[in-house]
Amino acid sequence: MSLPTRRAARAGQYLALLCYLVFLAFPFVWLISTAFKPAPELGSLHPTWIPEHPTLDNFRAAFDEQPLLRAAANSLIAALSAGIIAVVIATPMAYVMARHRSRLSTAATGWVVVSQAFPFVLLIIPLFLVLKYLHLINTLWGLIMVYVVWSLPFALWMLVGYVRAVPLELEEAAAVDGASRLRTLVSVTAPLLAPGIVATALFAFITAWNEFFFALVLLKTPEKQTLPVVLTHFLGAEGASDLGPLAAAAFLATLPSLVLFAVIQRRITGGMLAGAVKS
Amino acid sequence: MTLASATVQSGRHGPPGGPHGRRPTRVNRNAGTWFLVLPALIPILVLSVGPLLYGIALAFTDAQSGRTRSTQWTGVLNFQDLLHDGLFWESFRIGLVWAVGVTVPQFALALGLALLLNQNLRMRWLARALAIIPWAMPEVVVGIMWRLVYNPDAGILNESIRDLGLGDGRDWLTGLATALPAVILVGVWAGMPQTTVALLAGLQNTPHELHEAAALDGAGAWRRFRTVTWPALRPVALSITALNFIWNFNSFALVYVLTNGGPGGRTRLPMLFAYEEAFRYGQFGYAAAMGCVMVAVISVILAVYLVGRLTGGEDR
């Protein structure tokens, strides 16, 4: 390629990248802008990108209008429990799936794939009935149970990739030294897996923090509801004056998962890669 | 995602659990294996596989919520009713339009972005960071955010249209003609990152030497893409589009927040329909039958797609 053509190609690439940046960013920028706008600016027929008189009033109003703190606490409890329980029970199974080629691990892998295909409505009706029977409707525990199982496929998926990345030789060496299987797992493999386990737990946390459908069905009263469900209550009486608090609350609800995602982003990509690379 | 499908296949063709490669300590090892697997297996069986079978069984009953009379088996009655339920098939059609309408542009855009991010460009980190945002956001927030963008008076979309002198803009989400395209655009935006990351992962597995060799042989960018990049990327592309299609067809939260199925049912995806049937009208059996039909039709479509694509690849 001649130099001018190469330059033109580069320029084209940067232009395309710029288009992507704008497309990806503009709704988010607009959300933040709306969140910080005072009521008169929100009512203006000619909205501006940047608030002329930025204010925190919307955030105050949001907390006044809906029980956001309570909802955030519920979300935190549900997501934290789901994340921890999911990795605690998934890690041993992922280990077996990665290291043993057996009928069980084949079935488990099959289930991981198939479970992605089912419309949740087919799952939620019986779950609703079962949880109702157990008096777990409208409780965070019922929701947590659902979240754990729901996050297991991807947790297993990621963890299997991480286990495969641990060299088998290390475990064999420990076995030769006379360590029991459990001992090997705990003192050799687990420490090497720790970063992957943390990433998986955080991912399960984010998924649960963001989840809406199960929470909508299973949680009935506002005191029990999680953040995404409470956010939709802002939509009920939507008028021009409500846009500010709506945006403010939505922005706040995003922050935790956004921050966590930024932290583990590389690991998730890495996990997907590890999965794809294995023979 | 590729890994899983590959493993399933190899598992089917290979000798599952056969005696090959077993060690003498097999009994001990298997005992330990069960001990390790049970903590996850029991919840999976009780809260996932069990309810799924229960749900399928419910489709053959007249189960309703809040009723004192006991539930009866009704055979295929629900399915017969569904067959004549014009509203359901309309929502099914909308679901397919939505799923294709989101999946195809999503893939095209994600492929473009992945190829760009694979280049040595200066603002790459920023693009990577931004591409994560839609992924990390709760779907409910994505919906709320785009409602703010689409807002007829205070939204930035109409304001931009007014600024560019293209008219007064419109009420995108409540217009009969614009509602579905408007939610499809949001769907494309929201799902692009996962697809991009998956494709980027696939690209980074493509051997670099092949690219260089092709470039030395004087192959242009398009030819290199067709002969080197695409063949390596195809398995990833295939499974990610299949999965995206399923996910999109089954999606709920985004459209629930954006339009709640309106206007006049124009964006009522099958999941929204089934949700209302189950939890507003209490028709558990009927809604479960809807779920079954959704699974069945999606499986058939996917099987045709996958078989077509896989065999199509071998011909070349």
Side-chain angles (χ1 to χ4, degrees):
Chain A
M1 239 191 304
S2 63
L3 197 62
T5 3
R6 199 180 297 168
R7 283 230 174 108
R10 262 284 124 120
Q13 285 177 344
Y14 274 110
L15 189 66
L17 192 64
L18 193 68
C19 290
Y20 275 108
L21 291 181
V22 171
F23 178 59
L24 288 167
F26 94 89
F28 194 61
V29 173
W30 186 244
L31 174 74
I32 297 171
S33 157
T34 310
F36 287 98
K37 270 182 193 166
E41 278 186 54
L42 285 167
S44 151
L45 262 178
H46 287 286
T48 47
W49 274 108
I50 299 166
E52 279 160 34
H53 307 284
T55 169
L56 292 174
D57 285 354
N58 293 325
F59 292 88
R60 222 165 292 142
F63 281 95
D64 285 344
E65 277 176 37
Q66 296 291 340
L68 284 183
L69 272 182
R70 187 70 233 232
N74 290 340
S75 279
L76 189 69
I77 295 168
L80 209 57
S81 318
I84 293 171
I85 299 173
V87 290
V88 166
I89 66 177
T91 305
M93 179 153 175
Y95 180 79
V96 173
M97 283 169 70
R99 291 289 193 239
H100 293 258
R101 219 168 241 280
S102 69
R103 209 168 284 166
L104 182 82
S105 58
T106 310
T109 320
W111 171 80
V112 167
V113 179
V114 169
S115 67
Q116 299 296 310
F118 279 98
F120 288 142
V121 71
L122 208 53
L123 201 65
I124 192 68
I125 297 170
L127 273 175
F128 182 84
L129 292 171
V130 169
L131 292 176
K132 199 171 159 194
Y133 178 76
L134 297 171
H135 299 289
L136 285 172
I137 296 287
N138 204 27
T139 65
L140 281 180
W141 274 113
L143 189 69
I144 290 167
M145 282 164 64
V146 174
Y147 280 174
V148 167
V149 175
W150 177 59
S151 58
L152 274 179
F154 203 78
L156 286 170
W157 165 266
M158 283 175 74
L159 288 168
V160 166
Y162 291 128
V163 174
R164 288 221 167 94
V166 174
L168 199 56
E169 292 76 30
L170 285 179
E171 289 178 21
E172 279 166 355
V176 168
D177 289 346
S180 73
R181 180 140 206 84
L182 194 65
R183 183 74 206 277
T184 312
L185 196 58
V186 170
S187 54
V188 176
T189 318
L192 291 168
L193 279 179
I197 292 175
V198 171
T200 310
L202 287 176
F203 193 75
F205 175 94
I206 294 170
T207 325
W209 177 273
N210 292 352
E211 203 281 332
F212 177 64
F213 182 62
F214 293 131
L216 176 72
V217 172
L218 297 177
L219 303 171
K220 296 295 167 199
T221 54
E223 311 86 74
K224 298 285 183 190
Q225 282 169 343
T226 54
L227 211 41
V229 183
V230 169
L231 282 182
T232 61
H233 297 333
F234 281 101
L235 295 171
E238 200 208 353
S241 59
D242 270 357
L243 290 179
L246 174 69
F251 175 63
L252 285 182
T254 305
L255 281 183
S257 44
L258 215 53
V259 170
L260 285 181
F261 213 97
V263 173
I264 60 166
Q265 188 248 109
R266 255 167 212 290
R267 293 218 142 255
I268 290 176
T269 322
M272 287 177 90
L273 258 172
V277 172
K278 87 103 214 166
S279 62
Chain B
M1 312 291 143
T2 359
L3 155 72
S5 46
T7 320
V8 173
Q9 275 178 359
S10 69
R12 264 191 208 129
H13 299 306
H20 309 269
R22 288 284 182 199
R23 301 192 181 164
T25 50
R26 185 180 162 191
V27 179
N28 279 341
R29 282 179 176 264
N30 276 359
T33 302
W34 278 105
F35 168 73
L36 292 172
V37 164
L38 282 182
L41 194 62
I42 291 172
I44 288 170
L45 291 178
V46 174
L47 287 168
S48 184
V49 179
L52 215 55
L53 299 176
Y54 186 8
I56 294 169
L58 278 174
F60 297 91
T61 70
D62 62 355
Q64 291 177 359
S65 75
R67 190 180 55 173
T68 42
R69 199 164 57 80
S70 66
T71 298
Q72 304 284 325
W73 287 100
T74 54
V76 293
L77 193 66
N78 283 330
F79 293 94
Q80 279 173 353
D81 287 349
L82 262 185
L83 213 57
H84 303 292
D85 190 339
L87 283 178
F88 174 69
W89 293 108
E90 175 61 13
S91 92
F92 207 91
R93 188 188 67 81
I94 293 168
L96 288 178
V97 171
W98 151 268
V100 174
V102 173
T103 308
V104 174
Q106 202 169 60
F107 178 77
L109 284 173
L111 181 62
L113 184 56
L115 288 171
L116 279 175
L117 292 182
N118 204 32
Q119 302 285 322
N120 205 5
L121 297 183
R122 220 159 274 190
M123 288 183 309
R124 197 164 63 153
W125 67 271
L126 182 61
R128 275 178 198 244
L130 278 177
I132 292 301
I133 291 182
W135 193 353
M137 277 184 133
E139 275 185 294
V140 168
V141 175
V142 174
I144 289 173
M145 189 173 69
W146 278 87
R147 273 178 76 143
L148 298 172
V149 169
Y150 281 135
N151 188 290
D153 300 322
I156 194 64
L157 186 62
N158 275 356
E159 179 59 15
S160 306
I161 289 170
R162 286 190 291 262
D163 280 351
L164 294 170
L166 296 172
D168 284 339
R170 42 173 85 216
D171 201 343
W172 300 95
L173 290 172
T174 55
L176 286 177
T178 54
L180 189 56
V183 294
I184 284 177
L185 176 66
V186 181
V188 171
W189 185 89
M192 232 177 74
Q194 287 101 311
T195 316
T196 306
V197 169
L199 290 175
L200 194 58
L203 281 178
Q204 284 166 359
N205 283 335
T206 319
H208 235 294
E209 303 77 42
L210 277 178
H211 258 285
E212 281 157 14
L216 279 180
D217 288 348
W222 169 242
R223 253 203 92 162
R224 282 201 310 260
F225 175 77
R226 250 201 49 206
T227 54
V228 181
T229 314
W230 183 244
L233 205 57
R234 236 173 57 94
V236 179
L238 190 69
S239 39
I240 194 73
T241 33
L243 273 171
N244 275 345
F245 180 81
I246 298 172
W247 285 332
N248 288 326
F249 186 78
N250 291 336
S251 64
F252 176 82
L254 213 53
V255 175
Y256 177 90
V257 173
L258 280 168
T259 60
N260 197 9
R266 291 294 162 96
T267 60
R268 193 197 279 137
L269 303 184
M271 269 290 284
L272 288 164
F273 196 99
Y275 164 78
E276 288 203 338
E277 204 62 39
F279 295 101
R280 182 159 302 166
Y281 306 115
Q283 300 293 338
F284 283 167
Y286 196 55
M290 286 180 185
C292 289
V293 172
M294 283 166 70
V295 175
V297 176
I298 289 305
S299 312
V300 171
I301 293 175
L302 274 179
V304 170
Y305 168 78
L306 288 176
V307 168
R309 295 304 293 265
L310 287 174
T311 49
E314 275 154 25
D315 288 345
R316 250 173 260 151

